[in-house]
Amino acid sequence: MYEEHFRLKEKPFGLTPDPDFLFLSESHRRALDHLLFGLESGEGFIVVSGDIGVGKTTVCRALLRRMPERFTTALVVNTLLTEKELLRTVLADFGAEVPDGTRKDLLDSLNRFLLAEAERDRRPVLIIDEAQNLAPSLLEQVRLLSNLETEKRKLLQIVLFGQKELREKLRLPELRQFDQRITVRAVILPLDRRETARYIHHRLSVAGASGGAYLSSSAEKLLFRRSRGVPRRVNQLCDRAFLAAALRDAARVEREDVARAAESLSDGVPGEDRPMRWFRRASWLAAPLLHLTRFGKGGGF
Ligand SMILES: Nc1ncnc2c1ncn2[C@@H]1O[C@H](COP(=O)(O)OP(=O)(O)OP(=O)(O)O)[C@@H](O)[C@H]1O
Ligand SMILES: [Mg+2]
């Protein structure tokens, strides 16, 4: 592939949320700071939301790496579960006993585990990624888990990551109690234009790039326009554009490589190139005129 051509040690634009490639845009940094602050304060729920592909799972993985040692974590990533399955997953991920019994047996086991952790001065945190998929009834069950407490403090802290449907779900009347308990809300935004360029260079340098301009400035401009600063889209476009440049045996990625990449990923309209959009509109407006002209000719006026 193109790694060899550009003398890189590894693939710079992979699609897995690898925290080794973490780039801290203003909004990613703010989300991570809010998370660490919220966990320190130990109160309420923390909710991190953002559009598809902006980097929620990446921030979640980065958080797990930075979590101070006194926290014990359970991470749930499959959210299409029944309530009992959720409880089992949480227990298993905490490394607690998973009884083969009723919902009450599972809750008792969780309570025992959390009390033992509190006694050892440890702070259990349940992190749920893809939380937009949790049914409202399951979100309500998650809220009830956070009611487990001693006289002094809550036994379990809860962090949810989810697409913006999660925010909408949390506004439902039946989830009002959940919503009121959220103390930290962070939103991850797409990158702006400068951040997009820095993001690309950051990923290239983690992959072993030795500096220099890998993209022309018009290529960068088009990349931003077509990706709208959404990191997953940036990665997809870069991956193909770098391949196109390598196939041309070129030293850097040009605008045409990005255009070709966008075309091959073509989902059409979002982020459509301005000249293309202009052409579409112009041809739509011109159609009746052409028709009239033809009619005029044929009709012998
Ligand atoms: N801050 C970042 N630093 C480095 N890479 C990032 C960052 N944010 C996102 N990415 C990259 O973008 C891609 C999508 O990221 P991720 O899977 O974290 O998004 P997501 O918001 O969880 O998406 P989804 O809504 O589908 O769950 C991944 O390849 C990831 O490596
Ligand atoms: Mg994700």
Side-chain angles (χ1 to χ4, degrees), residues 63-298:
L63 172 72
L64 287 171
R65 276 198 181 176
R66 284 166 200 222
M67 199 88 110
E69 212 275 318
R70 64 185 174 287
F71 289 96
T72 313
T73 53
L75 173 65
V76 176
V77 287
N78 172 9
T79 43
L80 297 170
L81 301 165
T82 66
E83 191 195 340
K84 269 173 87 177
E85 284 166 350
L86 176 71
L87 283 170
R88 279 205 193 94
T89 311
V90 172
L91 284 168
D93 216 67
F94 270 136
E97 185 208 336
V98 190
D100 206 11
T102 61
R103 172 175 171 273
K104 183 174 177 311
D105 297 326
L106 293 163
L107 277 171
D108 286 346
S109 172
L110 182 62
N111 209 6
R112 274 195 305 278
F113 170 78
L114 296 178
L115 281 168
E117 288 292 291
E119 237 156 64
R120 293 166 55 216
D121 223 13
R122 296 195 57 81
R123 312 249 311 256
V125 182
L126 167 60
I127 302 176
I128 306 182
D129 195 9
E130 308 270 355
Q132 75 277 355
N133 294 332
L134 290 172
S137 59
L138 215 53
L139 278 166
E140 179 58 10
Q141 294 308 319
V142 170
R143 181 185 71 81
L144 294 176
L145 290 185
S146 81
N147 283 347
L148 301 170
E149 58 194 353
T150 62
E151 301 90 66
K152 286 214 165 74
R153 65 175 165 95
K154 296 276 178 208
L155 290 173
L156 179 65
Q157 258 189 293
I158 292 170
V159 182
L160 303 183
F161 287 86
Q163 291 167 3
K164 46 183 189 197
E165 292 84 339
L166 175 63
R167 292 205 296 268
E168 281 148 29
K169 238 176 217 177
L170 293 174
R171 279 191 221 114
L172 292 172
E174 63 264 42
L175 291 174
R176 198 174 309 134
Q177 273 179 292
F178 194 116
D179 199 53
Q180 283 176 357
R181 295 266 304 279
I182 301 172
T183 47
V184 176
R185 295 172 205 258
V187 179
I188 302 183
L189 299 171
L191 311 169
D192 66 22
R193 185 147 143 200
R194 278 187 47 216
E195 285 173 337
T196 303
R198 283 175 41 224
Y199 170 83
I200 294 169
H201 290 102
H202 171 78
R203 292 198 71 109
L204 283 165
S205 75
V206 175
S210 54
Y214 283 81
L215 292 100
S216 68
S217 68
S218 58
E220 265 179 15
K221 250 185 230 162
L222 184 58
L223 228 146
F224 175 68
R225 203 156 65 225
R226 300 303 297 252
S227 66
R228 301 198 167 164
V230 173
R232 184 178 291 135
R233 291 278 298 165
V234 175
N235 285 15
Q236 289 168 330
L237 284 168
C238 277
D239 201 49
R240 303 226 176 160
F242 272 69
L243 180 60
L247 291 174
R248 288 191 301 111
D249 203 21
R252 64 174 196 177
V253 174
E254 297 294 343
R255 190 180 191 283
E256 293 64 43
D257 300 314
V258 180
R260 196 159 305 142
E263 207 176 294
S264 75
L265 283 168
S266 188
D267 52 356
V269 182
E272 190 176 38
D273 221 349
R274 209 178 295 143
M276 195 56 208
R277 207 178 322 154
W278 181 87
F279 178 73
R280 246 185 235 269
R281 281 189 196 147
S283 56
W284 181 75
L285 283 171
L289 284 175
L290 279 172
H291 184 73
L292 274 180
T293 329
R294 252 194 244 132
F295 181 71
K297 272 186 190 152

Side-chain angles (χ1 to χ4, degrees), residues 17 51-58 60 129-130 132 161-163 232:
D51 281 355
I52 299 173
V54 289
K56 299 175 295 295
T57 302
T58 308
C60 174
D129 195 9
E130 308 270 355
Q132 75 277 355
F161 287 86
Q163 291 167 3
R232 184 178 291 135

